[in-house]
Amino acid sequence: MSRLKLLLFASLREAAGARSLELELPAGATVADLKRRLVAERPALARWSESLKVAVDRHYAGDEAVIPDGAEIALIPPVSGG
Amino acid sequence: MDSSELPTVVSITEDSLDLDALLGAITLPSTGAAAIFSGMVRGVTARENPHETLYLEYEAYRPMAEEVMGRIAAEIRERWPSVEGIALVQRIGRLYPGTPTVLIACTAPHRDTGVFEAARYGIDRLKEIVPIWKKEVGPGGAVWIEGEHPTAGEG
């Protein structure tokens, strides 16, 4: 098991009421595992489960990507820069 | 010239956008053209869902945003090799109607070298994949604008 810190932004940050949160995931867990665990532990965030992207070490990662130990992980709601 | 020597400015800033300084930073002795796009806070929206905006509140995942903007600049250089300087700057914080929020500029020796298209590509990609968000505050309340869904593998 490893304890991961997830960075939160915008609507997700407001919904969670925090700039980051922590999750326990087994070693070798994927982005899809992370999303499942997130929604299980924080049902209030379920409405983002379809639209949410995950950035691992500042790159967008697909559901199948394995999360490396000590990675910088951020949850990215749909973006709206400009 | 090696593209690593060409001027590239990517930045997320809380300061007001300084067009002259930015243009100066991406102008070479061989530069004769610049295409500039700036977006600003629109106070009155007529299209689709007509409404008024009091202000926008921008935030960014700053280190990743600047990295992704750097990758967009590299994409521009790949597609338009004649582009000399590139600037991609996004202002964040609370911004009121009429205020410039973003500045995209590309320079080249001449105007017929793709600079217009390059700047257009820059703003389109920024809106598509850079982790920046804005909350719109109007007379009726506040709402996070949910725009594009970046695709894994991009940026």
Side-chain angles (χ1 to χ4, degrees):
Chain A
M1 293 292 274
S2 57
R3 193 153 191 84
L4 302 174
K5 183 183 171 188
L6 313 181
L7 304 175
L8 307 175
F9 297 94
S11 50
L12 264 174
R13 171 178 56 71
E14 281 191 352
R19 293 187 173 278
S20 66
L21 60 83
E22 292 195 343
L23 276 190
E24 292 269 358
L25 277 178
T30 64
V31 166
D33 298 331
L34 181 153
K35 286 182 176 174
R36 270 193 295 273
R37 177 64 61 88
L38 176 73
V39 172
E41 284 194 21
R42 301 285 188 122
L45 304 183
R47 89 160 182 91
W48 282 270
S49 60
E50 291 301 309
S51 61
L52 181 72
K53 297 296 168 195
V54 175
V56 176
D57 290 329
R58 303 175 186 175
H59 287 263
Y60 295 110
D63 280 347
E64 68 295 339
V66 174
I67 297 168
D69 218 24
E72 178 177 312
I73 300 165
L75 305 182
I76 312 277
V79 301
S80 54
Chain B
M1 192 182 284
D2 186 304
S3 75
S4 63
E5 298 168 28
L6 293 169
T8 302
V9 178
V10 292
S11 140
I12 301 286
T13 179
E14 274 143 34
D15 301 330
S16 61
L17 303 178
D18 183 342
L19 177 59
D20 287 347
L22 212 57
L23 268 186
I26 58 168
T27 297
L28 296 177
S30 50
T31 297
I36 300 156
F37 173 83
S38 184
M40 53 258 292
V41 180
R42 185 173 50 249
V44 179
T45 297
R47 205 156 78 178
E48 286 153 26
N49 160 39
H51 64 281
E52 280 179 46
T53 302
L54 296 175
Y55 60 86
L56 299 177
E57 193 89 48
Y58 282 81
E59 74 176 67
Y61 173 20
R62 203 164 186 155
M64 179 172 170
E66 290 181 344
E67 281 188 26
V68 175
M69 287 155 88
R71 287 175 224 144
I72 294 172
E75 291 174 11
I76 290 174
R77 294 200 187 287
E78 227 171 82
R79 286 170 171 74
W80 293 278
S82 58
V83 164
E84 290 180 334
I86 300 173
L88 303 164
V89 183
Q90 170 77 52
R91 189 173 178 189
I92 57 171
R94 179 175 296 191
L95 300 176
Y96 291 91
T99 309
T101 60
V102 68
L103 207 54
I104 310 291
C106 294
T107 59
H110 303 278
R111 74 180 185 286
D112 58 358
T113 52
V115 271
F116 290 96
E117 292 79 4
R120 169 70 191 258
Y121 180 86
I123 182 63
D124 287 350
R125 288 295 272 163
L126 181 143
K127 284 176 169 280
E128 223 174 274
I129 63 169
V130 180
I132 302 166
W133 302 269
K134 59 183 167 239
K135 182 160 72 172
E136 178 171 353
V137 179
V143 59
W144 284 100
I145 308 296
E146 300 207 332
E148 308 274 348
H149 298 59
T151 309
E154 281 198 316

